[in-house]
Amino acid sequence: MVKQNGEIAVEMKHITKKFGNLAANNDINLKIYKGQVHCLLGENGAGKSTLMNVLTGLYKADCGEIEINGQPANIHSPKDAIGYGIGMVHQHFRLVKPLTVLENIILGSPKVGFWLNNKAAREEIMELTDRYDLHIDLDAKVESLSVGEQQRTEIIKQMYRGANIMILDEPTAVLTPEEAEKLFVFLRQTASAGKTIIFISHKLREIMSVGDKVTIMRKGQIVGAKDVKDTSVEDLAGLMIEGTISEVKKQSVEKDGAEVLRLTDIYTLHDDSGNVNLENINLCLNEGEICGIAGVSGNGQRELAEVVSGLRFCDKGEIIVGQKVMTNQCTRKFIQAGVSHIPEDRLGTGLAAGLSIIENGILKEYKSKPISVHGLINYKVAKKYTEEIIEQYKVKAENLNRPISALSGGNLQRMIIGREINGDPKILVAAQPTRGIDIAGVKMVHSMIFDQKAKGVAVLFISEDLDEIMEVCDTLAVMYQGHLSQKVRPSETTIEEIGLRMGGALC
Amino acid sequence: MTYTLFIAILAGGIAAGSSILLASLGEILSEKVGVLNLGLEGIMLIGAVSGFVFTIITNNSWIGILMAIVLSAVAGLIFAVLTISLHGNQIVCGLAMVIFGTGVSTLIGNPYVGTPVPQSFDAVAIPLLSKIPVLGPVIFNQDVLTYIALILVFVVWYFLFRTKPGLHLRSVGESPGTADALGINVTLTRYIYVIIGSALVGLGGAQLSLAFTKVWIENMAAGRGWVAVAIVVFAGWNPQKALLGAVLFGIVQALGFRLQVIGISFPPDFINMLPYFLPIVVLCIEAAKTHRKKAAGPEALGVPYIRESR
């Protein structure tokens, strides 16, 4: 099945790209064969996306050469890359939302004439979508489409523009399991039709199921290249992560603690941004329970997190924290009742990007003694308070007076978690706490959450990663369009069943 | 009597509104491509003074118009360099353009205050069409620049929504990263439409000095540039609705003037205020209706595009 001696579609030689002092790509050499699905594996920040941005002309490499189909290629802009038949489906879709699907597909294409009402383009696209079974309403506005349909639009767009080498950056991150399965079938089919696919991912199982070859990157360098059939998940994981990280074992607390949170019939009405709202949410959490909320993002998880942490009023229903009815109390009351919140938007909601690390450290405690006395902040005490968080949760920060935006993603997350669990909470709402951080960071977040569980804290754990939820949580429920399914134990369900609920096929 | 008064108010309204209409159309192009140009007031004055001065020098109002377009395009080029290439803050640069335009027009226009223009654009009745009752005298008995403004409403709309360059323009304003990844030159596209937009604004200024007042008055834009900025927002970046807003401004202005003439007396300050106030109220109501559905502003409006920012 693997075409070992096929033609080389892309060859990258000695590619180096630096951002300041950081070498995002350091002397990369890569060969990609025609008609194969070539996977690029690596943690966040390993340099996969940077390398592909160099290939598509979005970034300019500091040095190195690129050959396409054996010929040297000068790629200085995305336009050049398109000329060589290279198309990229970005992780964050490059679609213009207020425009229609058709307009997005023909955007920038030299095939389209001056006037837009062009029958030839429409027919050619219809022919493409028929051939590859990628059906979509061409006149729908992109903003009204589901994420899977938006991805399909991206793929059709690249094909219409004549892409023979298609790069997909973390394409399954936003898909339900069924949608991902469909995508894999499509990719295999396209590869056997002679197109070249570059598939960027950090999910090992996906690579094993879809790839022909895999190149592993770590810290801007290539650390391994394998045929997928000659390797294993363990092998790849070992190459991807330096050393092995000790497995965090979760203590299984089977006895049920006292109830600390109860949501009864919660409704929230439409807000102006047209988000999915909560309908008839019922949920209760016990001491020492980690309850996972699964679902594709944008189905009401953020609203749920906001309701539980007092950031959003509900229009109907009742929230009980501990023994107290807390419905529509202000956020500070929720904090005082012991609710901590790790928001999904770290720099927007979790931290104030322009303020110093110290100021961010005391954001929740600045009103109380000894940090402030008579409305004046004692910066010495504040500094000590922040230093404790930093030391205890291993935040890498040199100068505490610098703006917090100078910290890296993983350190920002440690900082928020540290601040939120420092005050001995009773309930911890963790919204996508591991999104966008590397595997070592994920393990750290998990162990911090297990520590809280051991202390008897009830954790509401919202994540899009099903494997993570199955691994971490004691109980789980699925959100779909504002509805929350019954809470079950992971042992009582299957990935398939959850997948169906996430896609709305099961209620 | 009431019929002729009615016609006079409507026709006067369109003539009075056409400078604002041209400025609004220019601003729509600029904002749709993602650049907020708040310098309209200044650029209108540059257009007004250069049109006026070159008409006096050459004794040819068409050369005046040409120079108004060229020099306001140059002002647009300066603004484009500041905001697109140097990533300057668009609001601050826009305010600087207002101050620059006001100052420069006052300086240049100073010797000409009160001088009548030797050759102006007067109303030209279009044969046959101007004989249609009501519509004829209202729409088809205007100056040439007003005709151009009215035609441009449909040209701009058609260009934006029915042509390939229009699609590119909108995509650059909504999502420059996407446009860039598809090989559309974001910087060049923004330059082109900011400059064309400014030229239209300047043409509006020239309409004011060469067709509407026909004399040079210091600071004669009198807030029309700001009204145009507001009209663009309340019109939801739609040329036809901008036409509505601009004509409304003109009609209210004409109405106040006529009421004074026939002897119905209001405090003059109140009448002077009305044209600035009423269109805003009407368009607010209109905007409230559409905004309930969706805010229509270009997504990347006011945001400089820097490719390798991370």
Side-chain angles (χ1 to χ4, degrees), chain B residues 40-42 44-45 48 208 217-225 249 276:
Chain B
L40 259 53
E41 183 83 1
M44 270 183 109
L45 283 167
L208 211 52
I217 305 161
E218 198 174 289
N219 204 4
M220 68 190 301
R224 285 179 176 82
F249 176 93
Y276 297 91

Side-chain angles (χ1 to χ4, degrees), chain A residues 70-235:
Chain A
Q71 301 294 318
N74 285 312
I75 301 177
H76 298 297
S77 73
K79 205 171 188 165
D80 297 337
I82 295 161
Y84 287 106
I86 301 172
M88 180 149 173
V89 176
H90 291 266
Q91 195 174 357
H92 304 288
F93 302 136
R94 297 296 176 94
L95 294 171
V96 186
K97 297 219 163 132
L99 302 187
T100 66
V101 172
L102 184 71
E103 283 175 324
N104 266 288
I105 293 171
I106 63 175
L107 185 60
S109 164
K111 286 190 258 182
V112 180
F114 185 80
W115 307 108
L116 283 183
N117 52 349
N118 170 324
K119 261 194 165 170
R122 182 182 287 266
E123 276 163 15
E124 192 183 338
I125 295 165
M126 298 285 260
E127 197 265 326
L128 255 176
T129 54
D130 279 347
R131 186 170 0 133
Y132 289 99
D133 201 17
L134 291 165
H135 293 286
I136 197 156
D137 176 7
L138 292 181
D139 297 311
K141 289 207 167 164
V142 165
E143 58 201 353
S144 70
L145 299 181
S146 75
V147 193
E149 287 171 319
Q150 292 188 17
Q151 189 176 59
R152 207 172 300 158
T153 307
E154 266 295 10
I155 291 173
I156 300 169
K157 180 171 87 181
Q158 298 304 341
M159 297 185 107
Y160 176 70
R161 296 164 67 83
N164 289 313
I165 301 162
M166 201 160 5
I167 307 166
L168 293 107
D169 190 0
E170 305 270 1
T172 59
V174 290
L175 301 182
T176 61
E178 293 81 57
E179 283 176 320
E181 206 47 56
K182 258 182 148 173
L183 176 72
F184 292 159
V185 172
F186 164 77
L187 290 180
R188 294 272 17 136
Q189 197 186 328
T190 332
S192 36
K195 302 216 178 210
T196 308
I197 310 278
I198 304 176
F199 186 92
I200 305 179
S201 181
H202 59 229
K203 294 186 186 163
L204 303 168
R205 250 166 262 157
E206 284 178 358
I207 287 175
M208 296 304 290
S209 72
V210 79
D212 291 310
K213 285 226 167 58
V214 53
T215 298
I216 303 101
M217 291 185 74
R218 187 170 69 216
K219 289 185 184 160
Q221 284 174 316
I222 288 184
V223 292
K226 305 243 172 194
D227 279 351
V228 168
K229 63 175 167 44
D230 301 334
T231 188
S232 66
V233 171
E234 292 75 22
D235 229 18

Side-chain angles (χ1 to χ4, degrees), chain A residues 17 19 50 57-60 76-79 82 90 94-96 98-99 103 106-110 112-116 143 157 161, chain B residues 158-168 170-171 174-175 177-184 292-294 299 305 307-310:
Chain A
K17 170 73 188 171
F19 290 102
T50 305
L58 220 45
Y59 291 167
K60 225 177 136 184
H76 298 297
S77 73
K79 205 171 188 165
I82 295 161
H90 291 266
R94 297 296 176 94
L95 294 171
V96 186
L99 302 187
E103 283 175 324
I106 63 175
L107 185 60
S109 164
V112 180
F114 185 80
W115 307 108
L116 283 183
E143 58 201 353
K157 180 171 87 181
R161 296 164 67 83
Chain B
Y158 202 83
F159 179 80
L160 276 175
F161 296 103
R162 291 288 183 273
T163 70
K164 183 162 115 169
L167 177 64
H168 289 189
R170 285 183 288 142
S171 67
E174 296 285 352
S175 176
T178 305
D180 191 16
L182 292 172
I184 296 167
R292 218 167 291 149
K293 277 178 260 160
K294 188 189 153 281
E299 186 98 7
Y305 180 62
R307 188 188 273 177
E308 285 200 21
S309 66
R310 46 181 277 165

Side-chain angles (χ1 to χ4, degrees), chain B residues 45-250:
Chain B
L45 283 167
I46 289 174
V49 79
S50 39
F52 192 84
V53 168
F54 277 96
T55 303
I56 285 185
I57 293 172
T58 64
N59 210 11
N60 182 336
S61 53
W62 285 105
I63 293 180
I65 287 292
L66 183 72
M67 291 314 288
I69 290 173
V70 169
L71 291 176
S72 48
V74 169
L77 175 66
I78 296 171
F79 182 74
V81 171
L82 291 174
T83 54
I84 302 169
S85 294
L86 304 177
H87 311 305
N89 180 308
Q90 294 177 4
I91 293 172
V92 174
C93 293
L95 296 181
M97 291 306 292
V98 174
I99 297 165
F100 171 70
T102 313
V104 129
S105 66
T106 304
L107 180 72
I108 295 172
N110 195 37
Y112 303 97
V113 172
T115 316
V117 73
Q119 195 192 5
S120 64
F121 288 95
D122 299 322
V124 183
I126 294 178
L128 292 179
L129 288 177
S130 60
K131 296 286 181 283
I132 303 169
V134 187
L135 274 186
V138 170
I139 296 176
F140 299 107
N141 188 18
Q142 298 286 0
D143 62 274
V144 177
L145 297 178
T146 300
Y147 290 136
I148 291 176
L150 291 174
I151 293 167
L152 276 176
V153 171
F154 299 97
V155 172
V156 168
W157 179 85
Y158 202 83
F159 179 80
L160 276 175
F161 296 103
R162 291 288 183 273
T163 70
K164 183 162 115 169
L167 177 64
H168 289 189
L169 186 168
R170 285 183 288 142
S171 67
V172 166
E174 296 285 352
S175 176
T178 305
D180 191 16
L182 292 172
I184 296 167
N185 189 330
V186 172
T187 306
L188 182 67
T189 310
R190 286 194 164 173
Y191 262 91
I192 290 172
Y193 296 109
V194 167
I195 290 172
I196 294 178
S198 284
L200 286 182
V201 175
L203 185 62
Q207 194 273 348
L208 211 52
S209 64
L210 294 179
F212 189 64
T213 64
K214 297 169 191 171
V215 293
W216 170 253
I217 305 161
E218 198 174 289
N219 204 4
M220 68 190 301
R224 285 179 176 82
W226 295 111
V227 172
V229 172
I231 282 177
V232 169
V233 177
F234 294 126
W237 294 267
N238 180 318
Q240 283 98 320
K241 282 193 190 162
L243 169 67
L244 176 80
V247 169
L248 206 62
F249 176 93

